[in-house]
Amino acid sequence: MGGAGSSPTSPKDEEQIALLSEEGLHRGHVQPTAKLGFVAGVILRERLPAFERLLWRACRGNVFLRQAEIDRPLEDPATGDSVNKTVFIIFFQGDQLKSRVKKICEGFRATLYPCPETPVERREMAVGVMSRIEDLSTVLSQTTDHRHRVLVAAAKSIKTWFIKVRKIKAIYHTLNLFNLDVTQKCLIAECWVPVADLEYIHDALRRGTARSGSSVPPILNRMETQIPPPTFNRLNKFTRGFQNLIDSYGIASYREVNPAPYAIITFPFLFAVMFGDAGHAVIMILFGGWMILSERKFEGKKGSEIWNIFFGGRYILFLMGLFSMYTGLIYNDVFSKSLNIFGSSWFTNKIRMSEDVLLETKDHIMLDPRDCYTQYPYPVGVDPVWQVAENKISFLNAYKMKISIIIGVLHMLFGVSLSIWNHIYFRRMVNIFCEFIPQVIFLLLLFFYLCILVFHKWVWFGPLGGNASGPYCAPSILIAFINMVLFKDAEKQPTGCDSPLLYSGQETIQKVLVVCALICVPWMLFIKPFILRSQAKKQAYAFVETVIVPRGDEETALAPNGSSPQAGGGGHDGHGHGEEFDFSEIMIHQGIHTIEYVLGSVSHTASYLRLWALSLAHAQLSEVLWSMVMKIGFGFTNVGAGAVVIYVIFAFWAVLTVSILVLMEGLSAFLHTLRLHWVEFMSKFYLGQGYAFSPFCFRDILAAAEGADE
């Protein structure tokens, strides 16, 4: 009692002293013979409750467990994942409990660590562990610094190393395509080479031989082959964009007519017909010109996909802007306003439509060419007075609709005329007689005749020729063309008109034209298959004529050229001796081609009306944007307030103009122009069934590798 009363320690502290140090033994709390053993280690935190429960039950409460959570997550050496663990120490008495505790630790995959029994040894061990940790930390820090310096030095050369490795890999990959000759000393390869570059390749081979010190001179021979060669077009920065548009449809066959040179003119022109506004064209010219002037700065740099598309087509954008400037001046349309440069050729109430009168005119006026026209047309483009005319839409609709049809028919005729160069080069003379000639005749007799009617109506019918030849009595060209195809008589004209016809003898001429056009349909459909069948029979008869050559007990049949009758040869249009001529297949193919051309001529002609529709939509959108946005700023009488409002409204109007009228409408016109070239124009002569020439080029190889990495 006295010893307990004189001790300042609590019962819990006494228990820790008795268990953890030998001080308790000297103080008499435990007998010296009652020696305790212990094990220490770490275990996963989630396994600790079950581990503690099993220890209590297996050892029947004869062990003492103390544990503490490790705050910092540890790395699992087996999986590398971060895990939370708990350190523990277990006290027990006796060897039996010791073995039982160790088995339980092994079962729960706890990691045990050796720990000395005396405090002095434990203190020395702790000091040694701390010193080793400090040494390892120093080594790791120095290693990290050294690795960082090595990686920084390597990063400066890593791009060069990648380029060298990719070049070497490409060289060895190409060398693996070579074959060894019989002497096992030379490499033999077959490749495609542009004819114009043969001398350059000879010089390159000689230079390579001299640098390598080889004793074997290089040999370059031209070979004859039946394999169709790849298509190679020499391009520059200007023509590359247009060629990419054509290649997106299909790569041209070898020596097939390439539409790209013609698209350099027709593509921006058709775009400009739909995008005819000189103000919007200036924005496009400035943007395209800026990219052209800065191409050295941006060339080779990586950008977003949209920027790469714009930059790749910078010359296309520039040309489209130039052509749109031209059509905008023809339409006399600049941000939905007109330029009165030469003075109007119209007057109203006997007042000449000068610039001052046009500016003061608030209400729309009706223009009648019988009373308001001076008979001297505006020198360039549309007269600016039509900007304030009530019948502006009627006039421009009729004008642009007819212009669209004329442009479309001429464009299709040009496409059909290009097909003759393919027929001549590939020696398809049957196609000239059975396809090209009837196609041209069919297109001329129907649709080119429609264009002639348009010009005839423009020239013959006018406001000053009396009532009979005035606009009131002018027959509708659309109705006349429909009656022409259906063999219907012209409808009766209104009272006071002389004739429902555009010219005398119109019905007879139109019936002859339609009959001749209809004759072209069976001409395209039947004549070519029968000619091909006749040629196939003649080739078969000539092939059967053989010479009997005795050879021992056998007789061998040889063709006149000395070859075996079973050897296949090349025939006309892909039908040779080795393959059977299938008349039904040729007939079906020709029928599909004929139907496609006849129906396509009608649909393609109507498809060119998109030139009129998009031009009208673009002009109306521009006018609506001006009247509903920009015009508001001009309604203020107070100069100061008006200036501030105009400043704000102009910014809003400019953003809408660029985003809607230039970007969105420009993209729409671009896609429609692309469709007119792919479907309406190129389908007349272009197949696009070839494959591109892919030379060995480090630049293309590295670009492809960088694209794959991204």
Side-chain angles (χ1 to χ4, degrees), residues 540-554:
Y541 293 152
F543 193 70
V544 169
E545 294 178 0
T546 57
V547 179
I548 308 300
V549 179
R551 189 179 62 187
D553 297 334
E554 301 177 353

Side-chain angles (χ1 to χ4, degrees), residues 228-366:
T231 301
F232 174 62
N233 298 307
R234 294 189 182 275
L235 304 174
N236 52 36
K237 294 183 293 185
F238 178 74
T239 59
R240 189 176 302 279
F242 294 96
Q243 188 63 53
N244 290 337
L245 294 178
I246 303 302
D247 292 344
S248 299
Y249 178 85
I251 305 297
S253 303
Y254 183 67
R255 304 296 289 179
E256 186 179 15
V257 173
N258 184 16
Y262 312 107
I264 294 175
I265 301 300
T266 60
F267 192 91
F269 176 73
L270 294 183
F271 173 87
V273 173
M274 295 181 278
F275 196 78
D277 191 296
H280 302 154
V282 170
I283 299 176
M284 191 173 293
I285 290 173
L286 292 176
F287 181 60
W290 171 73
M291 288 191 294
I292 292 174
L293 295 176
S294 306
E295 61 183 12
R296 291 186 178 179
K297 176 182 176 182
F298 295 109
E299 215 165 15
K301 291 186 178 180
K302 295 181 181 179
S304 63
E305 185 177 359
I306 296 178
W307 167 254
N308 292 335
I309 293 174
F310 276 114
F311 185 73
R314 57 193 181 278
Y315 289 97
I316 301 178
L317 285 173
F318 187 74
L319 276 185
M320 290 192 303
L322 288 179
F323 278 75
S324 298
M325 174 73 76
Y326 166 75
T327 55
L329 294 177
I330 295 297
Y331 297 157
N332 206 347
D333 205 351
V334 183
F335 294 119
S336 77
K337 299 289 128 182
S338 297
L339 299 177
N340 190 9
I341 301 176
F342 304 101
S344 176
S345 299
W346 296 77
F347 58 88
T348 179
N349 296 328
K350 297 186 178 181
I351 299 176
R352 185 71 177 268
M353 285 303 188
S354 62
E355 184 175 355
D356 297 335
V357 175
L358 287 176
L359 290 175
E360 294 175 358
T361 302
K362 297 182 179 179
D363 299 327
H364 288 277
I365 57 175
M366 176 65 71

Side-chain angles (χ1 to χ4, degrees), residues 398-444:
Y399 168 70
K400 292 183 178 180
M401 185 188 302
K402 294 178 175 64
I403 286 293
S404 300
I405 294 296
I406 294 172
I407 292 175
V409 172
L410 294 178
H411 199 212
M412 290 189 296
L413 275 173
F414 179 61
V416 175
S417 64
L418 289 177
S419 64
I420 191 173
W421 301 111
N422 288 332
H423 300 325
I424 292 175
Y425 177 80
F426 294 109
R427 300 179 181 178
R428 297 190 294 242
M429 300 306 170
V430 175
N431 290 1
I432 296 178
F433 177 73
C434 300
E435 289 184 1
F436 171 74
I437 295 178
Q439 286 176 359
V440 172
I441 293 176
F442 182 84
L443 209 58
L444 288 175

